[in-house]
Amino acid sequence: MTREVKIHPLFSPWGRFGLYSFFIDAPEPAIVDTGIASSPAEGMASSLEALGRSIEEVRWILLTHGHIDHLGGAHALSELTGGRAKVAIHEADVHLLRSRRAHVDLYMDVRRQYLDNPHAEEEQTKMADAVISGEMEPDVLLKDGETLSLGGDVTVSVHPVPGHTAGSVAYVVDGQADMFTGDAVQVHGAANGFPGYEDPAAYRSSLRYLRDEIRPRHLYLGHPYRTAAGVPYGVELDSDQAQAAIQESLDIEARIADATRRHLREGLRETDSAYSPFARVAEELSYTGDPALEPSPFFTTLHGYRKQFHQES
Ligand SMILES: [Zn+2]
């Protein structure tokens, strides 16, 4: 590569969250992740103007996975480029780009059974309508290990890293090992203080792959995930911080796995605890966060171990 490709984080506010997207300043400029419906017009446009750039220039929309806070703005961003940007997402998460209802189903299939909220379906439907800017087909359906050309000699390689969701991918700018992982590296989670992943075994092996095979020079995270002490890492990590964040993610996963498997073997108990049926797991991990606070990673993650345990036994 002749010259280094610059990366710029773009910030969009959303309630108690800040959403991060990243601008890759390639000959065909790319944006990694799109926030929610309002993010392109409200957050990205002004951030790009401050860089002396404009949103119309964007030619690639690279989605790390299918969650609403990452793809909600995809349709709106595509419109702002006059439809000239190509949208890429992995095939295992594409239903979440094609359909708002798929997000409601995700909730109804897993979290609903742990959360006592009779209005959940209605609330989830309203939220999907409000924060997803449009249902759409991708231009590029990622399967495994593609290389995308961003013009000139700039290429981005795609690395499937399932676990957080089945279709999570890492994008790596070739030649300079700048890596975007969305939510695939959770450390101790963000605001909820608990890491969220649907498939624990896949999450673990994806983290090992990132640690041992990619060894990023910079790691760009989808949220400012926190250390064990609750200190946010920020979203732009150097190589030492990247290895530390990946290792810490593996360490906390091992602790959760150990506690959860033991209590699964002993048998789960329904109690009136907000953490039920995983109250003893929460206690052992000293987790005191609100387990009902959306997106409720405590239940998503522990449900993943439960599912795996039933498949094994
Ligand atoms: Zn996510």
Side-chain angles (χ1 to χ4, degrees):
M1 188 165 306
T2 45
R3 104 192 142 84
E4 186 171 312
V5 179
K6 292 269 191 303
I7 314 289
H8 302 281
L10 309 174
F11 178 81
S12 328
W14 181 34
R16 64 193 172 88
F17 295 106
L19 303 179
Y20 290 88
S21 303
F22 298 94
F23 181 69
I24 305 178
D25 192 1
E28 294 176 19
I31 284 185
V32 179
D33 287 339
T34 63
I36 57 160
S38 58
S39 303
E42 288 174 13
M44 286 175 208
S46 54
S47 308
L48 284 171
E49 269 164 41
L51 295 169
R53 309 298 295 270
S54 83
I55 215 159
E56 293 82 38
E57 295 174 47
V58 174
R59 290 294 171 270
W60 286 93
I61 298 170
L62 306 177
L63 300 172
T64 59
H65 67 294
H67 283 158
I68 48 171
D69 51 331
H70 295 257
L71 63 60
H75 188 269
L77 177 55
S78 167
E79 300 264 283
L80 289 170
T81 70
R84 280 171 294 185
K86 293 192 194 78
V87 178
I89 190 168
H90 192 273
E91 62 177 356
D93 275 7
V94 71
H95 57 294
L96 296 162
L97 184 67
R98 287 178 175 149
S99 151
R100 288 184 173 101
R101 177 66 209 184
H103 295 263
V104 182
D105 291 342
L106 195 62
Y107 179 94
M108 297 304 282
D109 289 349
V110 179
R111 271 128 63 209
R112 188 185 111 97
Q113 64 192 284
Y114 301 106
L115 298 162
D116 184 22
N117 177 359
H119 308 292
E121 185 166 12
E122 203 183 315
E123 285 170 14
Q124 290 290 319
T125 303
K126 251 190 217 162
M127 164 139 101
D129 285 347
V131 303
I132 297 173
S133 54
E135 299 176 325
M136 67 190 299
E137 274 300 309
D139 300 279
V140 180
L141 194 57
L142 305 169
K143 294 188 168 76
D144 187 33
E146 287 84 351
T147 296
L148 307 173
S149 170
L150 270 48
D153 58 1
V154 179
T155 57
V156 165
S157 53
V158 181
H159 302 264
V161 284
H164 176 69
T165 64
S168 290
V169 300
Y171 295 102
V172 177
V173 180
D174 294 322
Q176 59 189 64
D178 287 332
M179 176 166 86
F180 306 87
T181 51
D183 296 349
V185 177
Q186 287 271 313
V187 206
H188 287 253
N192 292 73
F194 203 88
Y197 39 87
E198 294 172 359
D199 180 338
Y203 180 67
R204 194 179 316 132
S205 55
S206 293
L207 288 168
R208 287 185 184 141
Y209 174 80
L210 296 175
R211 181 190 64 187
D212 301 336
E213 305 296 326
I214 311 261
R215 304 191 64 81
R217 189 189 66 150
H218 289 119
L219 170 60
Y220 296 92
L221 299 174
H223 305 276
Y225 290 112
R226 298 178 187 189
T227 66
V231 181
Y233 265 99
V235 295
E236 196 169 14
L237 280 58
D238 67 20
S239 60
D240 289 345
Q241 291 170 321
Q243 289 303 108
I246 296 168
Q247 189 56 51
E248 226 185 311
S249 301
L250 279 161
D251 294 345
I252 181 64
E253 189 284 320
R255 284 186 51 216
I256 297 171
D258 181 59
T260 309
R261 286 202 194 111
R262 191 149 15 84
H263 291 297
L264 280 165
R265 277 195 299 272
E266 289 167 8
L268 298 177
R269 256 183 256 152
E270 298 286 347
T271 62
D272 55 8
S273 159
Y275 304 92
S276 175
F278 304 110
R280 287 183 299 169
V281 180
E283 199 182 321
E284 188 172 331
L285 296 169
S286 307
Y287 180 59
T288 55
D290 176 1
L293 191 65
E294 278 290 285
S296 192
F298 178 79
F299 288 122
T300 297
T301 297
L302 296 193
H303 180 80
Y305 289 102
R306 189 181 194 180
K307 203 168 138 192
Q308 199 182 322
F309 182 79
H310 286 304
Q311 282 163 356
E312 286 162 4
S313 52

